[in-house]
Amino acid sequence: MKQVIVIMYFICSYSLLAEVKLFDMAAMRDASTLEVEVLKDWYVVPGKIKTRQKLITIKVGEFIPGKDYRVPVRFIVPVGQKAKGFHLTGGNNLKSINNDARLRGVEADLIQGGVGLVYTIVQKLDSWGQRELSQQSEALFSKTLNSHYSVQYWAWPASLMRSITAAYAEEDYFEKGQVACSGGSKNGATPSVAVIHDERISAVHATVSPISESPLRLCDEKAWADLREYNKHHPSQTNKRSKQSGMHPFLGGTHGPRYNEAALAAGATWQDLKSLANELADQIFPAKHFEILKKRGVELSFHPGTHDFVAYDMAYVGKNYPQLPIYLKANTGHGKGGDKSQFRGQANKTAFLLRHFFASEIESLLESPQVTTKKEGAYLQIEVQFPEGSKVETGEVFWMYNRAPDGSEAYLSEAFPSENQVVMEYNDQKGIWLAKIKITEGSQQIDFFSTHKKSLSFKGRKLETYLSSPYTRIDLK
Protein backbone atom coordinates (compact mmCIF):
# COMPACT_ATOMS: atom_id res chain seq x y z
CA MET A 1 0.00 0.00 0.00
CA LYS A 2 2.87 2.32 0.89
CA GLN A 3 4.42 1.79 -2.56
CA VAL A 4 1.09 2.60 -4.25
CA ILE A 5 0.82 5.87 -2.30
CA VAL A 6 4.37 6.79 -3.29
CA ILE A 7 3.73 6.10 -6.94
CA MET A 8 0.44 7.95 -7.14
CA TYR A 9 1.77 11.07 -5.43
CA PHE A 10 4.87 11.01 -7.61
CA ILE A 11 2.71 10.85 -10.73
CA CYS A 12 0.58 13.75 -9.55
CA SER A 13 3.69 15.77 -8.75
CA TYR A 14 5.87 15.22 -11.82
CA SER A 15 4.84 18.49 -13.48
CA LEU A 16 6.12 20.38 -10.45
CA LEU A 17 9.43 18.53 -10.56
CA ALA A 18 10.00 19.82 -14.08
CA GLU A 19 10.68 23.24 -12.57
CA VAL A 20 13.01 21.98 -9.84
CA LYS A 21 16.67 21.04 -10.19
CA LEU A 22 17.88 18.17 -8.09
CA PHE A 23 20.55 20.34 -6.46
CA ASP A 24 21.08 23.91 -5.38
CA MET A 25 24.72 24.08 -6.42
CA ALA A 26 25.37 27.34 -4.57
CA ALA A 27 24.34 25.53 -1.39
CA MET A 28 26.46 22.50 -2.28
CA ARG A 29 29.56 24.72 -2.54
CA ASP A 30 28.89 26.81 0.57
CA ALA A 31 31.52 25.82 3.14
CA SER A 32 29.98 28.10 5.79
CA THR A 33 27.04 25.72 6.23
CA LEU A 34 29.04 22.48 6.70
CA GLU A 35 28.80 22.69 10.51
CA VAL A 36 31.94 20.57 10.83
CA GLU A 37 32.33 18.35 13.87
CA VAL A 38 35.94 17.26 14.31
CA LEU A 39 36.25 13.68 15.52
CA LYS A 40 40.02 13.41 15.02
CA ASP A 41 42.00 16.49 14.08
CA TRP A 42 44.96 16.30 11.72
CA TYR A 43 47.48 13.67 12.84
CA VAL A 44 50.25 11.61 11.26
CA VAL A 45 49.56 7.95 10.50
CA PRO A 46 52.87 6.04 10.42
CA GLY A 47 53.65 3.17 8.11
CA LYS A 48 55.45 2.38 4.89
CA ILE A 49 53.68 5.42 3.44
CA LYS A 50 53.19 8.11 6.06
CA THR A 51 50.10 10.26 5.72
CA ARG A 52 48.28 13.02 7.54
CA GLN A 53 44.63 12.25 8.23
CA LYS A 54 41.59 13.92 9.72
CA LEU A 55 38.11 12.58 10.52
CA ILE A 56 35.07 14.84 10.67
CA THR A 57 31.35 14.80 10.15
CA ILE A 58 29.63 17.38 7.98
CA LYS A 59 26.16 18.63 7.36
CA VAL A 60 25.11 17.70 3.85
CA GLY A 61 21.93 19.70 4.20
CA GLU A 62 18.46 19.60 5.62
CA PHE A 63 17.23 16.24 4.33
CA ILE A 64 13.71 16.47 5.73
CA PRO A 65 12.15 19.45 7.54
CA GLY A 66 13.95 19.92 10.83
CA LYS A 67 16.34 17.01 10.24
CA ASP A 68 19.85 17.42 8.90
CA TYR A 69 21.66 14.73 6.98
CA ARG A 70 25.23 14.33 8.20
CA VAL A 71 28.00 12.06 6.94
CA PRO A 72 31.49 11.23 8.14
CA VAL A 73 34.41 12.30 5.97
CA ARG A 74 38.03 11.17 6.24
CA PHE A 75 40.78 13.25 4.66
CA ILE A 76 44.13 11.71 3.72
CA VAL A 77 47.01 13.81 2.41
CA PRO A 78 50.77 13.41 2.01
CA VAL A 79 53.12 14.37 4.82
CA GLY A 80 54.93 17.66 4.24
CA GLN A 81 52.88 19.04 1.35
CA LYS A 82 49.38 19.98 0.30
CA ALA A 83 47.41 17.49 -1.73
CA LYS A 84 46.54 18.73 -5.19
CA GLY A 85 43.11 17.33 -6.01
CA PHE A 86 41.88 14.01 -4.69
CA HIS A 87 40.21 10.68 -5.29
CA LEU A 88 36.74 10.59 -3.69
CA THR A 89 34.94 7.37 -2.76
CA GLY A 90 31.72 6.55 -0.93
CA GLY A 91 32.13 2.78 -0.76
CA ASN A 92 33.00 2.74 2.92
CA ASN A 93 31.24 1.70 6.09
CA LEU A 94 31.17 3.26 9.54
CA LYS A 95 33.80 0.89 10.95
CA SER A 96 36.28 1.32 8.12
CA ILE A 97 35.98 5.09 7.92
CA ASN A 98 36.60 5.43 11.67
CA ASN A 99 39.87 3.50 11.37
CA ASP A 100 43.14 4.96 10.14
CA ALA A 101 43.53 4.37 6.42
CA ARG A 102 46.47 2.09 5.56
CA LEU A 103 47.17 2.59 1.89
CA ARG A 104 48.05 0.16 -0.84
CA GLY A 105 47.64 -0.15 -4.59
CA VAL A 106 46.59 2.90 -6.54
CA GLU A 107 45.79 4.88 -3.39
CA ALA A 108 49.42 4.62 -2.35
CA ASP A 109 50.45 5.77 -5.83
CA LEU A 110 48.18 8.79 -5.59
CA ILE A 111 49.45 9.89 -2.19
CA GLN A 112 53.08 9.45 -3.27
CA GLY A 113 52.30 11.61 -6.29
CA GLY A 114 50.82 14.40 -4.16
CA VAL A 115 47.14 13.58 -4.71
CA GLY A 116 44.79 13.35 -1.72
CA LEU A 117 42.09 10.87 -0.79
CA VAL A 118 38.63 11.66 0.57
CA TYR A 119 36.37 8.97 2.01
CA THR A 120 32.69 9.28 2.86
CA ILE A 121 29.74 6.86 3.09
CA VAL A 122 27.27 6.20 0.30
CA GLN A 123 25.22 3.31 1.66
CA LYS A 124 21.68 2.58 2.76
CA LEU A 125 21.03 4.78 5.77
CA ASP A 126 19.85 1.95 8.00
CA SER A 127 23.11 0.05 7.34
CA TRP A 128 25.12 2.60 9.33
CA GLY A 129 22.95 3.61 12.22
CA GLN A 130 20.45 6.02 10.62
CA ARG A 131 17.37 3.83 10.51
CA GLU A 132 15.10 6.51 11.99
CA LEU A 133 16.15 9.10 9.41
CA SER A 134 15.71 6.51 6.69
CA GLN A 135 12.18 5.74 7.81
CA GLN A 136 11.28 9.40 8.20
CA SER A 137 12.61 10.38 4.78
CA GLU A 138 10.84 7.45 3.13
CA ALA A 139 7.58 8.43 4.82
CA LEU A 140 7.91 12.04 3.69
CA PHE A 141 8.85 10.96 0.19
CA SER A 142 5.69 8.84 0.22
CA LYS A 143 3.63 11.97 0.85
CA THR A 144 5.42 14.35 -1.52
CA LEU A 145 7.76 12.43 -3.81
CA ASN A 146 9.92 15.50 -3.82
CA SER A 147 13.32 14.30 -5.07
CA HIS A 148 15.01 16.22 -2.24
CA TYR A 149 13.72 13.59 0.18
CA SER A 150 15.17 10.69 -1.84
CA VAL A 151 18.45 9.21 -0.62
CA GLN A 152 19.14 7.95 -4.13
CA TYR A 153 18.52 11.16 -6.04
CA TRP A 154 19.55 13.79 -3.51
CA ALA A 155 21.29 12.58 -0.35
CA TRP A 156 23.92 10.33 -1.90
CA PRO A 157 25.08 12.65 -4.72
CA ALA A 158 24.90 15.63 -2.35
CA SER A 159 27.16 13.75 0.08
CA LEU A 160 29.89 13.55 -2.55
CA MET A 161 29.54 17.20 -3.51
CA ARG A 162 29.57 18.42 0.08
CA SER A 163 32.63 16.27 0.77
CA ILE A 164 34.41 18.13 -2.04
CA THR A 165 33.43 21.42 -0.41
CA ALA A 166 34.69 20.19 2.96
CA ALA A 167 38.03 19.09 1.51
CA TYR A 168 38.67 22.40 -0.22
CA ALA A 169 37.77 24.24 2.96
CA GLU A 170 40.92 22.67 4.45
CA GLU A 171 43.07 25.21 2.63
CA ASP A 172 46.28 24.31 4.48
CA TYR A 173 45.99 20.69 3.32
CA PHE A 174 44.27 20.71 -0.08
CA GLU A 175 44.72 22.88 -3.13
CA LYS A 176 42.40 22.89 -6.12
CA GLY A 177 43.01 20.14 -8.65
CA GLN A 178 41.38 17.18 -10.32
CA VAL A 179 38.62 15.31 -8.47
CA ALA A 180 38.04 11.72 -9.53
CA CYS A 181 35.29 9.44 -8.19
CA SER A 182 35.02 5.68 -8.48
CA GLY A 183 32.84 2.84 -7.28
CA GLY A 184 30.35 0.16 -8.16
CA SER A 185 26.57 -0.21 -7.96
CA LYS A 186 25.21 2.73 -5.88
CA ASN A 187 28.78 4.04 -5.73
CA GLY A 188 28.91 4.00 -9.52
CA ALA A 189 25.46 5.49 -9.96
CA THR A 190 25.97 8.27 -7.39
CA PRO A 191 29.04 9.95 -8.92
CA SER A 192 27.49 9.42 -12.37
CA VAL A 193 24.68 11.71 -11.22
CA ALA A 194 26.91 14.14 -9.33
CA VAL A 195 29.28 14.70 -12.27
CA ILE A 196 26.39 16.08 -14.36
CA HIS A 197 25.78 18.83 -11.81
CA ASP A 198 29.15 19.53 -10.17
CA GLU A 199 31.86 20.94 -12.42
CA ARG A 200 34.50 20.25 -9.77
CA ILE A 201 34.32 16.53 -10.57
CA SER A 202 36.72 15.72 -13.38
CA ALA A 203 36.53 11.92 -13.70
CA VAL A 204 34.21 9.00 -12.91
CA HIS A 205 34.96 5.29 -13.06
CA ALA A 206 31.63 3.48 -12.60
CA THR A 207 30.92 -0.25 -12.38
CA VAL A 208 27.58 -2.12 -12.67
CA SER A 209 25.49 1.06 -12.62
CA PRO A 210 23.05 2.87 -14.94
CA ILE A 211 24.55 4.71 -17.91
CA SER A 212 21.81 5.99 -20.19
CA GLU A 213 18.11 6.23 -20.80
CA SER A 214 16.44 3.47 -22.85
CA PRO A 215 12.85 2.64 -23.85
CA LEU A 216 12.24 0.58 -20.73
CA ARG A 217 13.81 3.18 -18.43
CA LEU A 218 11.68 5.87 -20.08
CA CYS A 219 8.51 3.79 -19.61
CA ASP A 220 7.75 3.36 -23.30
CA GLU A 221 4.43 1.51 -23.44
CA LYS A 222 5.24 -0.55 -26.53
CA ALA A 223 8.64 -1.61 -25.16
CA TRP A 224 6.95 -2.82 -21.97
CA ALA A 225 4.18 -4.61 -23.88
CA ASP A 226 6.75 -6.38 -26.05
CA LEU A 227 8.75 -7.40 -22.97
CA ARG A 228 5.71 -8.79 -21.17
CA GLU A 229 4.74 -10.75 -24.26
CA TYR A 230 8.25 -12.17 -24.50
CA ASN A 231 8.34 -13.15 -20.82
CA LYS A 232 4.96 -14.82 -21.16
CA HIS A 233 6.19 -17.15 -23.91
CA HIS A 234 9.88 -17.42 -22.99
CA PRO A 235 10.37 -17.92 -19.25
CA SER A 236 13.99 -17.97 -18.12
CA GLN A 237 15.60 -21.19 -16.96
CA THR A 238 15.47 -19.85 -13.42
CA ASN A 239 11.72 -19.26 -13.65
CA LYS A 240 11.19 -22.67 -15.22
CA ARG A 241 12.89 -24.34 -12.28
CA SER A 242 11.07 -22.27 -9.66
CA LYS A 243 7.80 -22.31 -11.64
CA GLN A 244 7.56 -18.57 -11.06
CA SER A 245 7.13 -15.84 -13.64
CA GLY A 246 8.25 -12.75 -11.73
CA MET A 247 11.06 -10.44 -12.89
CA HIS A 248 13.98 -9.25 -10.84
CA PRO A 249 12.76 -6.07 -9.09
CA PHE A 250 15.44 -3.89 -10.74
CA LEU A 251 14.80 -5.03 -14.32
CA GLY A 252 13.17 -2.22 -16.26
CA GLY A 253 13.57 0.32 -13.48
CA THR A 254 14.37 3.91 -14.40
CA HIS A 255 17.39 4.15 -12.11
CA GLY A 256 16.77 1.44 -9.55
CA PRO A 257 13.79 -0.76 -8.61
CA ARG A 258 10.96 -0.46 -11.12
CA TYR A 259 7.55 0.91 -10.16
CA ASN A 260 5.55 0.43 -13.36
CA GLU A 261 3.25 -2.38 -12.28
CA ALA A 262 2.26 -0.72 -8.99
CA ALA A 263 1.70 2.64 -10.65
CA LEU A 264 -0.50 1.24 -13.41
CA ALA A 265 -2.51 -0.78 -10.91
CA ALA A 266 -3.08 2.43 -8.95
CA GLY A 267 -4.58 4.18 -11.98
CA ALA A 268 -1.63 5.87 -13.66
CA THR A 269 -1.40 6.04 -17.45
CA TRP A 270 1.62 5.19 -19.57
CA GLN A 271 1.85 8.87 -20.49
CA ASP A 272 2.12 9.74 -16.79
CA LEU A 273 4.96 7.28 -16.38
CA LYS A 274 6.72 8.43 -19.53
CA SER A 275 6.55 12.11 -18.52
CA LEU A 276 7.97 11.35 -15.10
CA ALA A 277 10.84 9.23 -16.44
CA ASN A 278 11.77 11.80 -19.06
CA GLU A 279 11.89 14.52 -16.44
CA LEU A 280 14.38 12.53 -14.37
CA ALA A 281 16.47 11.33 -17.30
CA ASP A 282 18.27 14.59 -18.06
CA GLN A 283 19.43 14.87 -14.46
CA ILE A 284 20.66 11.33 -13.79
CA PHE A 285 22.08 9.69 -16.93
CA PRO A 286 25.67 10.68 -17.84
CA ALA A 287 25.43 9.35 -21.41
CA LYS A 288 22.97 12.12 -22.27
CA HIS A 289 25.64 14.67 -21.30
CA PHE A 290 28.68 12.87 -22.69
CA GLU A 291 29.68 15.49 -25.25
CA ILE A 292 29.20 18.34 -22.77
CA LEU A 293 31.21 16.49 -20.14
CA LYS A 294 33.93 15.76 -22.67
CA LYS A 295 34.20 19.46 -23.56
CA ARG A 296 34.44 20.17 -19.84
CA GLY A 297 37.46 17.86 -19.73
CA VAL A 298 35.71 15.10 -17.77
CA GLU A 299 37.00 11.55 -18.23
CA LEU A 300 34.59 8.63 -17.94
CA SER A 301 34.96 4.87 -17.82
CA PHE A 302 32.14 2.34 -17.45
CA HIS A 303 32.23 -1.36 -16.52
CA PRO A 304 28.54 -2.27 -16.80
CA GLY A 305 28.73 -6.05 -17.15
CA THR A 306 26.94 -8.06 -19.81
CA HIS A 307 24.47 -9.66 -17.39
CA ASP A 308 23.66 -7.01 -14.82
CA PHE A 309 20.16 -6.26 -13.47
CA VAL A 310 20.97 -2.52 -13.22
CA ALA A 311 22.74 -2.21 -16.60
CA TYR A 312 20.20 -4.39 -18.39
CA ASP A 313 20.10 -2.43 -21.66
CA MET A 314 23.54 -2.71 -23.23
CA ALA A 315 22.22 -3.16 -26.78
CA TYR A 316 20.49 0.23 -26.53
CA VAL A 317 23.58 1.88 -25.05
CA GLY A 318 25.83 0.44 -27.76
CA LYS A 319 23.54 1.60 -30.55
CA ASN A 320 22.87 5.10 -29.26
CA TYR A 321 26.10 5.94 -27.45
CA PRO A 322 28.85 4.05 -29.30
CA GLN A 323 31.41 6.68 -28.30
CA LEU A 324 31.22 5.81 -24.58
CA PRO A 325 34.36 4.16 -23.15
CA ILE A 326 33.04 0.79 -21.97
CA TYR A 327 34.78 -2.39 -20.86
CA LEU A 328 32.79 -5.61 -21.13
CA LYS A 329 33.64 -9.00 -19.73
CA ALA A 330 31.28 -11.78 -20.78
CA ASN A 331 28.75 -13.03 -18.23
CA THR A 332 29.45 -10.45 -15.54
CA GLY A 333 27.26 -8.23 -13.39
CA HIS A 334 26.08 -7.99 -9.78
CA GLY A 335 27.13 -11.30 -8.22
CA LYS A 336 28.43 -12.63 -11.54
CA GLY A 337 32.19 -12.86 -12.02
CA GLY A 338 32.26 -14.51 -15.42
CA ASP A 339 35.21 -16.59 -16.52
CA LYS A 340 37.98 -15.90 -13.99
CA SER A 341 40.67 -16.47 -16.61
CA GLN A 342 39.17 -13.94 -19.01
CA PHE A 343 41.33 -10.80 -19.15
CA ARG A 344 43.26 -11.83 -16.07
CA GLY A 345 45.34 -8.96 -14.71
CA GLN A 346 42.95 -6.25 -15.89
CA ALA A 347 43.97 -2.99 -14.22
CA ASN A 348 41.59 -0.49 -15.79
CA LYS A 349 40.68 1.51 -12.70
CA THR A 350 44.27 1.82 -11.55
CA ALA A 351 45.43 2.96 -14.98
CA PHE A 352 42.43 5.30 -15.35
CA LEU A 353 43.19 7.10 -12.09
CA LEU A 354 46.93 7.27 -12.69
CA ARG A 355 46.43 8.65 -16.19
CA HIS A 356 43.91 11.18 -14.92
CA PHE A 357 46.19 12.58 -12.23
CA PHE A 358 49.61 11.97 -13.81
CA ALA A 359 49.03 12.34 -17.54
CA SER A 360 52.70 13.06 -18.27
CA GLU A 361 53.86 9.84 -16.61
CA ILE A 362 51.63 7.27 -18.31
CA GLU A 363 50.28 6.78 -21.82
CA SER A 364 46.63 7.32 -22.61
CA LEU A 365 44.07 4.53 -22.42
CA LEU A 366 42.26 3.31 -25.51
CA GLU A 367 39.46 5.36 -27.01
CA SER A 368 36.23 3.75 -28.21
CA PRO A 369 36.53 2.12 -31.64
CA GLN A 370 34.15 2.08 -34.58
CA VAL A 371 32.50 -1.18 -35.60
CA THR A 372 31.27 -2.23 -39.04
CA THR A 373 29.74 -5.53 -40.07
CA LYS A 374 29.05 -7.27 -43.35
CA LYS A 375 27.10 -10.45 -43.94
CA GLU A 376 28.75 -12.66 -46.55
CA GLY A 377 26.74 -15.80 -47.18
CA ALA A 378 26.88 -17.93 -44.05
CA TYR A 379 29.42 -15.64 -42.36
CA LEU A 380 29.39 -12.32 -40.53
CA GLN A 381 32.51 -10.22 -41.00
CA ILE A 382 33.30 -7.87 -38.13
CA GLU A 383 35.71 -4.95 -38.45
CA VAL A 384 36.84 -2.88 -35.48
CA GLN A 385 38.86 0.28 -36.03
CA PHE A 386 40.53 2.35 -33.35
CA PRO A 387 41.83 5.89 -33.82
CA GLU A 388 45.23 5.98 -35.50
CA GLY A 389 48.17 5.38 -33.18
CA SER A 390 46.13 3.58 -30.50
CA LYS A 391 48.71 0.79 -29.99
CA VAL A 392 46.12 -1.94 -29.56
CA GLU A 393 47.75 -5.30 -28.81
CA THR A 394 44.97 -7.88 -28.92
CA GLY A 395 41.34 -8.38 -29.87
CA GLU A 396 38.75 -11.01 -29.03
CA VAL A 397 35.12 -11.25 -30.10
CA PHE A 398 32.32 -12.74 -27.97
CA TRP A 399 28.88 -13.46 -29.35
CA MET A 400 25.47 -14.96 -28.65
CA TYR A 401 22.65 -15.87 -31.01
CA ASN A 402 19.03 -14.91 -30.37
CA ARG A 403 19.68 -13.33 -27.00
CA ALA A 404 16.62 -12.53 -24.95
CA PRO A 405 15.54 -8.86 -25.10
CA ASP A 406 16.81 -6.17 -22.76
CA GLY A 407 15.25 -6.24 -19.33
CA SER A 408 14.02 -9.84 -19.43
CA GLU A 409 14.94 -12.46 -16.84
CA ALA A 410 16.33 -14.57 -19.66
CA TYR A 411 18.66 -11.69 -20.56
CA LEU A 412 20.28 -12.21 -17.15
CA SER A 413 20.28 -15.99 -17.02
CA GLU A 414 21.39 -17.04 -20.50
CA ALA A 415 25.17 -16.76 -20.78
CA PHE A 416 27.49 -16.14 -23.69
CA PRO A 417 28.59 -19.69 -24.63
CA SER A 418 32.24 -20.40 -23.89
CA GLU A 419 32.75 -21.66 -27.43
CA ASN A 420 31.44 -18.39 -28.92
CA GLN A 421 34.64 -16.42 -28.79
CA VAL A 422 37.46 -16.00 -31.27
CA VAL A 423 40.78 -14.19 -31.40
CA MET A 424 40.75 -11.39 -33.96
CA GLU A 425 43.36 -10.77 -36.62
CA TYR A 426 44.94 -7.39 -37.26
CA ASN A 427 45.15 -6.04 -40.80
CA ASP A 428 48.13 -3.73 -40.69
CA GLN A 429 47.45 -2.17 -44.08
CA LYS A 430 43.89 -1.17 -43.23
CA GLY A 431 44.53 -0.61 -39.53
CA ILE A 432 41.55 -2.74 -38.49
CA TRP A 433 40.85 -5.77 -36.34
CA LEU A 434 38.99 -8.54 -38.19
CA ALA A 435 36.89 -11.54 -37.25
CA LYS A 436 34.74 -13.84 -39.35
CA ILE A 437 31.95 -15.71 -37.59
CA LYS A 438 30.03 -18.57 -39.15
CA ILE A 439 26.35 -17.90 -38.57
CA THR A 440 24.47 -20.73 -36.95
CA GLU A 441 21.66 -21.86 -39.24
CA GLY A 442 18.26 -20.48 -38.26
CA SER A 443 19.67 -17.64 -36.14
CA GLN A 444 17.53 -14.50 -36.13
CA GLN A 445 20.00 -12.11 -34.53
CA ILE A 446 23.48 -11.95 -33.08
CA ASP A 447 24.76 -9.92 -30.12
CA PHE A 448 28.50 -9.35 -29.99
CA PHE A 449 31.28 -7.19 -28.64
CA SER A 450 35.03 -7.23 -28.94
CA THR A 451 37.51 -6.50 -26.17
CA HIS A 452 41.03 -5.20 -26.78
CA LYS A 453 44.18 -4.85 -24.71
CA LYS A 454 46.72 -2.09 -24.36
CA SER A 455 49.60 -2.41 -21.91
CA LEU A 456 50.74 0.71 -20.10
CA SER A 457 53.72 1.38 -17.87
CA PHE A 458 53.79 3.47 -14.73
CA LYS A 459 57.10 3.86 -12.89
CA GLY A 460 58.32 0.61 -14.44
CA ARG A 461 55.14 -1.29 -13.51
CA LYS A 462 53.10 -2.92 -16.27
CA LEU A 463 49.37 -2.28 -16.28
CA GLU A 464 47.11 -4.23 -18.63
CA THR A 465 44.08 -2.23 -19.71
CA TYR A 466 41.10 -3.30 -21.79
CA LEU A 467 38.41 -1.51 -23.75
CA SER A 468 35.47 -2.97 -25.63
CA SER A 469 33.75 -2.09 -28.84
CA PRO A 470 30.14 -0.94 -28.49
CA TYR A 471 27.81 -3.81 -27.60
CA THR A 472 26.19 -4.56 -30.97
CA ARG A 473 22.99 -6.36 -31.96
CA ILE A 474 22.55 -7.35 -35.63
CA ASP A 475 19.39 -8.59 -37.32
CA LEU A 476 20.34 -11.66 -39.39
CA LYS A 477 17.01 -12.20 -41.08
Side-chain angles (χ1 to χ4, degrees):
M1 183 63 186
K2 180 180 178 181
Q3 186 180 18
V4 171
I5 294 172
V6 169
I7 296 304
M8 286 306 297
Y9 200 100
F10 197 88
I11 290 165
C12 294
S13 303
Y14 79 81
S15 61
L16 297 176
L17 292 176
E19 301 174 6
V20 179
K21 290 290 186 181
L22 281 175
F23 307 103
D24 176 348
M25 289 310 301
M28 291 293 103
R29 294 190 181 96
D30 187 354
S32 70
T33 59
L34 288 168
E35 297 182 14
V36 174
E37 178 187 359
V38 178
L39 302 181
K40 293 182 182 179
D41 210 343
W42 287 105
Y43 63 102
V44 173
V45 176
K48 186 176 180 180
I49 301 174
K50 289 183 180 180
T51 59
R52 293 177 294 176
Q53 301 187 21
K54 181 177 183 177
L55 180 64
I56 64 174
T57 71
I58 61 170
K59 175 182 173 180
V60 176
E62 188 177 75
F63 192 8
I64 61 176
K67 275 275 176 123
D68 292 341
Y69 179 49
R70 298 186 66 87
V71 295
V73 183
R74 178 172 286 273
F75 303 130
I76 307 161
V77 302
V79 170
Q81 67 180 97
K82 290 184 182 181
K84 185 170 184 178
F86 51 89
H87 177 215
L88 170 62
T89 57
N92 308 285
N93 57 49
L94 201 55
K95 181 179 179 180
S96 67
I97 208 167
N98 280 324
N99 291 331
D100 297 346
R102 306 290 179 174
L103 307 183
R104 59 182 181 178
V106 70
E107 291 192 329
D109 290 323
L110 295 178
I111 285 290
Q112 288 176 316
V115 176
L117 306 171
V118 176
Y119 298 166
T120 188
I121 295 181
V122 173
Q123 304 292 345
K124 291 182 178 178
L125 300 185
D126 56 7
S127 73
W128 56 289
Q130 302 206 58
R131 183 180 298 276
E132 183 180 353
L133 180 57
S134 176
Q135 293 172 340
Q136 290 174 342
S137 63
E138 288 175 7
L140 188 56
F141 186 67
S142 297
K143 295 177 181 178
T144 67
L145 268 214
N146 184 327
S147 58
H148 185 86
Y149 306 137
S150 163
V151 68
Q152 179 181 22
Y153 292 124
W154 184 81
W156 285 341
S159 296
L160 295 185
M161 292 189 277
R162 292 291 273 168
S163 294
I164 297 172
T165 300
Y168 282 146
E170 298 280 345
E171 295 181 351
D172 292 335
Y173 296 87
F174 287 94
E175 62 178 285
K176 298 293 175 63
Q178 308 271 50
V179 176
C181 303
S182 70
S185 194
K186 61 180 68 68
N187 275 286
T190 297
S192 294
V193 173
V195 73
I196 297 169
H197 303 269
D198 195 332
E199 294 187 357
R200 297 173 299 180
I201 299 175
S202 56
V204 173
H205 187 287
T207 304
V208 291
S209 56
I211 299 172
S212 86
E213 84 291 355
S214 67
L216 291 176
R217 294 188 192 276
L218 295 180
C219 300
D220 180 85
E221 186 174 5
K222 183 179 184 305
W224 274 98
D226 291 345
L227 180 61
R228 287 201 181 91
E229 188 68 15
Y230 181 89
N231 286 338
K232 180 179 176 182
H233 298 289
H234 302 86
S236 70
Q237 293 300 316
T238 301
N239 287 339
K240 285 179 183 177
R241 288 192 296 270
S242 65
K243 296 182 179 180
Q244 295 178 349
S245 59
M247 291 168 58
H248 189 287
F250 278 74
L251 285 175
T254 296
H255 201 250
R258 68 177 180 277
Y259 52 79
N260 301 37
E261 295 93 339
L264 292 167
T269 67
W270 277 104
Q271 186 56 49
D272 292 332
L273 298 175
K274 183 182 288 188
S275 297
L276 172 61
N278 274 279
E279 175 55 38
L280 288 172
D282 280 339
Q283 303 196 60
I284 62 177
F285 293 122
K288 292 176 70 68
H289 301 270
F290 180 72
E291 294 303 328
I292 294 173
L293 293 172
K294 188 175 180 180
K295 288 179 182 177
R296 207 175 88 194
V298 173
E299 295 181 309
L300 299 171
S301 180
F302 299 104
H303 287 204
T306 60
H307 288 71
D308 187 68
F309 55 73
V310 179
Y312 57 77
D313 43 12
M314 291 315 300
Y316 180 91
V317 174
K319 180 180 179 181
N320 292 277
Y321 299 101
Q323 72 274 40
L324 293 180
I326 287 177
Y327 162 69
L328 295 169
K329 179 181 176 183
N331 308 323
T332 57
H334 273 87
K336 299 174 184 281
D339 180 357
K340 300 298 182 184
S341 66
Q342 195 185 123
F343 312 125
R344 192 187 297 277
Q346 179 264 118
N348 283 2
K349 187 174 84 168
T350 293
F352 176 83
L353 291 172
L354 293 176
R355 170 67 185 180
H356 187 67
F357 287 106
F358 313 124
S360 65
E361 299 180 48
I362 183 172
E363 278 193 83
S364 61
L365 282 71
L366 293 173
E367 296 181 19
S368 298
Q370 293 183 333
V371 177
T372 57
T373 60
K374 185 178 180 181
K375 188 177 177 184
E376 298 178 338
Y379 291 86
L380 180 71
Q381 173 129 336
I382 298 171
E383 298 183 359
V384 178
Q385 185 170 27
F386 284 84
E388 187 176 353
S390 293
K391 299 182 181 179
V392 184
E393 298 168 29
T394 66
E396 293 181 65
V397 170
F398 301 79
W399 70 92
M400 182 192 302
Y401 294 111
N402 305 326
R403 187 175 190 185
D406 290 355
S408 65
E409 278 286 350
Y411 178 92
L412 296 184
S413 63
E414 296 171 5
F416 279 76
S418 59
E419 64 272 17
N420 284 9
Q421 63 184 80
V422 66
V423 174
M424 305 182 79
E425 296 180 0
Y426 183 65
N427 185 311
D428 189 54
Q429 290 183 330
K430 294 184 177 180
I432 56 176
W433 290 86
L434 300 169
K436 202 173 211 181
I437 299 172
K438 187 172 183 180
I439 301 170
T440 300
E441 187 175 351
S443 297
Q444 302 292 303
Q445 73 177 30
I446 183 172
D447 285 25
F448 74 87
F449 65 90
S450 63
T451 295
H452 304 262
K453 181 173 81 171
K454 179 180 182 180
S455 296
L456 305 178
S457 177
F458 181 77
K459 298 187 183 302
R461 194 167 83 241
K462 183 179 179 181
L463 299 171
E464 293 185 350
T465 69
Y466 294 87
L467 189 72
S468 299
S469 66
Y471 186 104
T472 304
R473 178 168 292 167
I474 300 290
D475 188 349
L476 297 173
K477 294 178 287 187

